[in-house]
Amino acid sequence: MSSPNKTQQQEPPSSSESWKQRIIIPTILAGIVGGGVGLVSKHRKIHGLSNISATYATNFAIVTGCYCGAREFVRVSRKSTSDDLLNSAIGGFGCGAILGRLQGGVPGAVRYSIMFAAAGTALDFATPKLRSYLQSLQHDDSWLKLPEWSPIRVLDEEALAAKRDREQQMLARRTALDLKKEEA
């Protein structure tokens, strides 16, 4: 029995977990985004809201599923890590070629290949950076501070109690004035 080498220890314990995380979840999210885009599409009046939303959701999901599947196929074929941007470029190029060929022949395949490779690589480059930035904002309590010049103030307990007292006094005065008007 030989001990496993370091490359085998770095692989995830279950490939189905990484498959779900890198293909299924982005595909579902893209379908949701596509449905949202369909809700605001200018074609919704012509084709109907439900039809156009379903069409956009399906198209977004197909494109994302194809891209993510191609990227994972390249990752497994190259035996590389999931954050390697070359996987994104090659997967985007292949996926764009297939979908572009179906959509617009050879010229469409060339256009879609370049577009998918560039957009997919840019998205895969920006996603981890954006995720770490959002996580840093989540742990930072000062990310939503109002500027000094803002008329909105966050009240402490004493100021909140004083405000309630003023409101009670104004309500009592208003009630007294209303009673005087009714008597007159």
Side-chain angles (χ1 to χ4, degrees), residues 104-140:
V106 175
V110 172
R111 281 191 309 250
Y112 277 52
S113 294
I114 294 168
M115 182 175 63
F116 274 52
T121 304
L123 185 68
D124 285 343
F125 175 76
T127 301
K129 298 197 181 303
L130 183 63
R131 184 176 294 143
S132 66
Y133 176 71
L134 290 175
Q135 286 175 350
S136 71
L137 285 181
Q138 187 178 20
H139 298 298
D140 186 15

Side-chain angles (χ1 to χ4, degrees), residues 27-182:
T27 302
I28 292 171
L29 290 175
I32 292 169
V33 169
V37 169
L39 289 175
V40 296
S41 171
K42 66 180 180 179
H43 304 292
R44 69 181 183 272
K45 293 179 182 173
I46 298 168
H47 298 290
L49 183 63
S50 60
N51 287 339
I52 202 71
S53 292
T55 301
Y56 273 91
T58 303
N59 287 339
F60 275 49
I62 288 170
V63 167
T64 303
C66 181
Y67 170 74
C68 291
R71 183 186 63 203
E72 287 302 302
F73 178 74
V74 170
R75 182 187 68 83
V76 169
S77 298
R78 291 183 62 231
K79 294 183 176 93
S80 63
T81 61
S82 61
D83 59 347
D84 188 4
L85 292 179
L86 191 58
N87 296 338
S88 301
I90 296 170
F93 189 81
C95 173
I98 292 169
L99 293 176
R101 177 77 170 125
L102 292 173
Q103 186 70 23
V106 175
V110 172
R111 281 191 309 250
Y112 277 52
S113 294
I114 294 168
M115 182 175 63
F116 274 52
T121 304
L123 185 68
D124 285 343
F125 175 76
T127 301
K129 298 197 181 303
L130 183 63
R131 184 176 294 143
S132 66
Y133 176 71
L134 290 175
Q135 286 175 350
S136 71
L137 285 181
Q138 187 178 20
H139 298 298
D140 186 15
D141 293 335
S142 66
W143 72 275
L144 186 61
K145 277 195 169 178
L146 297 171
E148 293 293 324
W149 49 265
S150 175
I152 301 171
R153 298 284 174 226
V154 179
L155 302 176
D156 59 354
E157 293 297 322
E158 292 176 13
L160 194 57
K163 180 183 174 192
R164 285 187 193 133
D165 288 340
R166 284 192 309 268
E167 288 174 350
Q168 297 257 340
Q169 289 172 359
M170 287 181 14
L171 182 62
R173 286 183 203 149
R174 190 177 304 149
T175 307
L177 286 174
D178 288 343
L179 287 175
K180 287 180 183 178
K181 285 182 182 178
E182 286 179 8

